[in-house]
């Protein structure tokens, strides 16, 4: 059983930065693609970024490309999402998720509990 725990959310001013962490337990990161998703109130869940278990390739939604960076630390079994130039539109609950198949499956198998990110002055 894979377990994921997010941390690092909070309140930040527009233009600020945050780094989210996703601590993975139960299996090595080498076995799972790890994705970051977000859901704002009244909106559908949106895929934000993903890092591939195969070769470390990274993928980003157009809305965050150039501002967010996904990375992994296999020694710590943790995936990070560095978020810069944050905008009020980035306000959402952010979730990390794991799947063995692909970064592009419709529904990832394992999910964390989420962490709130609020961008406001």
């Amino acid at each position: 059983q894979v377990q994921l725990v997010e941390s690092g959310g909070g309140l930040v001013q527009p233009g600020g930065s945050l780094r989210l962490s996703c601590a993975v337990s139960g299996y090595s990161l080498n076995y799972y693609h790890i994705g970051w998703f977000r859901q704002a109130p009244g909106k559908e869940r949106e895929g934000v970024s993903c890092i591939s278990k195969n070769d470390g390739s990274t993928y980003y939604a157009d809305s965050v490309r150039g501002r967010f960076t996904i990375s992994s630390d296999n020694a710590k079994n943790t995936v990070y999402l560095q978020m810069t130039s944050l905008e009020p539109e980035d306000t959402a609950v952010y979730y990390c998720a794991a799947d063995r198949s692909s970064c592009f499956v419709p529904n990832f198998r394992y999910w964390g509990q989420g962490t709130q990110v609020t961008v406001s002055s």
Side-chain angles (χ1 to χ4, degrees), residues 49-92:
S49 183
C50 186
I51 186 163
S52 170
K53 69 177 178 69
N54 297 327
D55 57 5
S57 295
T58 57
Y59 306 94
Y60 299 94
D62 289 344
S63 57
V64 306
R65 187 175 290 112
R67 300 188 298 122
F68 291 10
T69 303
I70 191 170
S71 62
S72 64
D73 184 336
N74 284 15
K76 296 182 178 180
N77 231 39
T78 298
V79 173
Y80 302 99
L81 186 69
Q82 179 68 50
M83 307 186 294
T84 63
S85 301
L86 283 162
E87 305 166 352
E89 293 74 22
D90 296 315
T91 295

Side-chain angles (χ1 to χ4, degrees), residues 89-104:
E89 293 74 22
D90 296 315
T91 295
V93 177
Y94 283 71
Y95 301 89
C96 63
D99 199 277
R100 298 194 71 164
S101 298
S102 166
C103 271
F104 303 104

Side-chain angles (χ1 to χ4, degrees), residues 15-46:
S17 300
L18 278 177
R19 188 178 78 159
L20 304 183
S21 299
C22 174
V24 180
S25 61
Y27 281 88
S28 165
L29 284 181
N30 293 329
Y31 291 94
Y32 286 90
H33 307 279
I34 304 295
W36 283 98
F37 298 79
R38 66 186 181 185
Q39 188 164 21
K43 294 189 177 181
E44 292 188 355
R45 187 175 66 201
E46 172 189 21

